[in-house]
Amino acid sequence: MSTNKPMPVPTEISAPFWEGLKAGRVSIPRCNSCGHWIFYPRRHCDKCWSHDVAWHDVSGEGSLYTYTLTRIPTLPDFADEMPQALAVVELDEGVRINTTLIGLAEDEIRVGMRLKPVFERVRDDGTTLLRFTGIDKTIDLSPADEVAAEPAPAAPSVTKVPVSDEAAMRALVSETFTAWSNEVVVDQALIDEFARLSGDDYWIHTDPDKARKMGPFGGTIAHGALVQVLQSRMKIPLGFEVTGFTNMVNYGSDRLRFPSPVPAGARIQARARVKSVEKMKSGTQLILEVHTHVVGAERPSVINDLVILYM
Amino acid sequence: MGLKGNAAIVGAAQYRPEKYQTAPRMFHLEQVADLASRALADAGLQADDIDGLVINGPQFHEASVFVPAMAAEYLGLNLNFAEVVDLGGCTSVAMVWRAAMAIEMGLCQAVLCVLPARMAPMGPDEDPAWMARAMRFGGHSTAFGAPEAEFDLPYGHMGQNTGYAMIAQRYAAQYGYDPLAMAKIAVDQRSNALANPEAMFFGKPLSAEEVLASKMVADPLHVLEIVMPVAGGAAVIVASKELAAKARHRGALIKGFGEHLSFKSPTYAADMTRTPIGPAAARAFAMAGIKPADVDAAQIYDCYTITVLLTLEDAGFAPKGEGMRWVREHDLTWRGNFPMNTHGGQLSFGQAGSAGGMSQVIEAFTQISGRAGERQLKGCDTVFVSGTGGVMSEQGALILQGA
């Protein structure tokens, strides 16, 4: 998960709500004068203006008032949640809460459906968000999800193409991209390591606090060059293997672009297509157009037209 | 109750909508002066006739406080009435009735209502990241203690698209949904823009199939059901009946208005599909002493197609829950039986920030003063105008009538 996602900053007024979530409880204020339930938390009743209010634990169960599925992330940092299932949930006490649904397939979501709370710890400091799922669902939030090395996708059938077979080589050219590679997490530790190696320690990459306050992205972002070289960690299911050459040279890049940033903590993946195959004096030149994306993001973070020379 | 109809819009000016990248960059004060002089020329009045000013406070480039005094000084105005309006897309409508009220109360005789919405030149010490930072969360506050910073942003609830999408989903669950009827709103308005050379999408026809094939942004809203933000800016001059008599064009008398708001996030609305335009429009019609059926045209704030649909219903033009059928049964073009957003609406004209809503006010005045060219309605005397800010958070209505 991108570490640049906005996080709640509890106030003196709201702290009991957020503390409750950490303990797996939904706690909201209620007016002692008129009985009105209050959300978000306030020190007064937004119905009768009494200041005689008290916190109560509630079941957290309710129904779906409305929702939307986003097809473009509301912020690049939410690309890993695509489609975001943004929802308004009406608790049985009558208050409504802006939240997200998890653990539901798109076609399972219905306005009016019964929901129960899910307490998701999103920060090491214990910060917990209140999400919702179907009343009969079981959600496993054990933190094994994204850090665990993801098994590489099952190796696709690989066609061997002799470099001498010009027609077969040219037939590799395609408008269609391959399936996605495995995913790689670009966390702050990796970015810091690259900053040390490359000497590029500009604050937008290395100073999370300053980047959050002064940068345009809400936090640090990976170096474009880092995301580019991480290509080596991503196994792209090309579906072919060129054979019969004596030497294969990485001849550089015809085009290298960084169209969108990779926020610290994001997962990335890559896909590719063969853009061109050309017979040269020195051998056969293949251009592989590699696109690296933040998982779920439509816009690539790196476009690299990689030039490979088979001699 | 309310206005007697003794103040009128007598002059107007607006920049042609342009992409931000290609639009000229001007200081907001300079835009105010430029728009003011154009509107004054349109009215045929003198600078020293103007003794009232209504201006935007938020997003004013050269100052965040004392904006009216700075603008008065820059323009060389002596003001008996000064006001800042902070109602998002409802600002334009809200400016006009405040000006009319001040005139009817005898505070002043002619009020400049102005909304600069081109970008300002970047200063040598200004930080380009500031803009990106400000844009990151759209209209959502990130201030410590702002409820939306604490309870919306961490879940990804931000900007306008998803709020409107959730209203549409709720509507669909309650009343049903016809994507083709929603697309028709955008298509009919585009048809109007084809008769308006000033519109962003002039010369670019649009079909319902194209709307429905356009990218889904947040279910059920397609990208062609959502306004395009553009650079622009607008001004109108509201004057007393006495001054209006000396103006060059037929004035548009402000006969009725209404305004209603009670939340920022529609999540906290009593009923998300009964929008604030209901009470606002009811008050405006009652004040003017007319019914929805009496209007010759409606200029309805259209940040999204769903905004139009709900305004048609809640303002009383279409029965509640039957808006989609009603849209299918009506021709919303300038040639049709319910001329609506005859300039193309913001969907096809372009939305110049909070000046976007002024395009609807100005179109009403343009039609009433008989200067709408190819799209001119025959006998256009009475026009309904609406404004919508936030996510159906703050809405206002005007009834304008030819002098």
Side-chain angles (χ1 to χ4, degrees), chain A residues 16-63:
Chain A
F17 172 75
W18 296 109
E19 286 304 311
L21 294 186
K22 285 183 188 174
R25 293 181 289 109
V26 178
S27 192
I28 54 175
R30 185 182 199 186
C31 176
N32 283 332
S33 300
C34 76
H36 179 66
W37 289 96
I38 300 157
F39 194 87
Y40 42 83
R42 300 162 172 89
R43 281 181 175 156
H44 73 283
C45 170
D46 60 317
K47 193 164 181 196
C48 75
W49 287 7
S50 161
H51 273 72
D52 184 11
V53 304
W55 289 89
H56 295 270
D57 287 350
V58 298
S59 73
E61 289 179 8
S63 58

Side-chain angles (χ1 to χ4, degrees), chain A residues 145 148-155 180-183 235:
Chain A
D145 50 359
E150 192 187 323
W180 290 109
S181 71
N182 57 308
E183 296 174 4
K235 304 298 165 232

Side-chain angles (χ1 to χ4, degrees), chain B residues 319-341:
Chain B
K320 189 68 200 170
E322 296 176 38
M324 304 219 185
R325 175 186 60 74
W326 191 92
V327 164
R328 281 195 306 270
E329 291 171 357
H330 285 78
D331 180 347
L332 310 177
T333 70
W334 59 274
R335 296 181 184 86
N337 53 357
F338 187 82
M340 183 190 86
N341 289 334

Side-chain angles (χ1 to χ4, degrees), chain A residues 115-134:
Chain A
L115 299 168
K116 68 179 178 189
V118 180
F119 304 91
E120 188 180 1
R121 195 179 137 129
V122 291
R123 274 278 161 96
D124 291 342
D125 66 2
T127 300
T128 301
L129 294 182
L130 176 58
R131 306 196 196 275
F132 287 83
T133 192

Side-chain angles (χ1 to χ4, degrees), chain A residues 14 18 66 68 96 98-99 214, chain B residues 133 150 157 166 219 267 269:
Chain A
S14 65
W18 296 109
T66 190
T68 184
R96 291 195 211 125
N98 283 326
T99 180
M214 300 180 61
Chain B
R133 230 175 11 251
E150 195 176 348
H157 285 261
M166 290 194 297
D219 299 2
T267 295

Side-chain angles (χ1 to χ4, degrees), chain A residues 4 6 14 18 40-41 65-69 71 74-75 77-78 86-87 96 98-100 130 214-217 298, chain B residues 132-133 136 147 150-157 162 165-166 169-170 215-219 265 267-270 272:
Chain A
N4 297 351
S14 65
W18 296 109
Y40 42 83
Y65 185 76
T66 190
Y67 72 102
T68 184
L69 298 166
R71 307 300 170 182
T74 53
L75 208 61
D77 310 278
F78 288 97
L86 299 181
R96 291 195 211 125
N98 283 326
T99 180
T100 41
L130 176 58
M214 300 180 61
F217 307 112
E298 195 169 336
Chain B
R133 230 175 11 251
R136 187 169 145 89
E150 195 176 348
F151 297 98
D152 292 2
L153 298 183
Y155 298 94
H157 285 261
T162 55
M166 290 194 297
Q169 290 282 49
R170 177 76 192 173
K215 179 154 182 62
M216 190 69 88
V217 173
D219 299 2
S265 165
T267 295
Y268 309 119
M272 202 182 247

Side-chain angles (χ1 to χ4, degrees), chain A residues 264-285:
Chain A
R267 284 176 295 142
I268 57 170
Q269 59 186 358
R271 58 182 181 174
R273 70 177 183 108
V274 176
K275 193 175 185 180
S276 70
V277 170
E278 218 173 320
K279 189 97 176 124
M280 317 285 278
K281 212 163 25 174
S282 49
T284 302
Q285 178 184 288

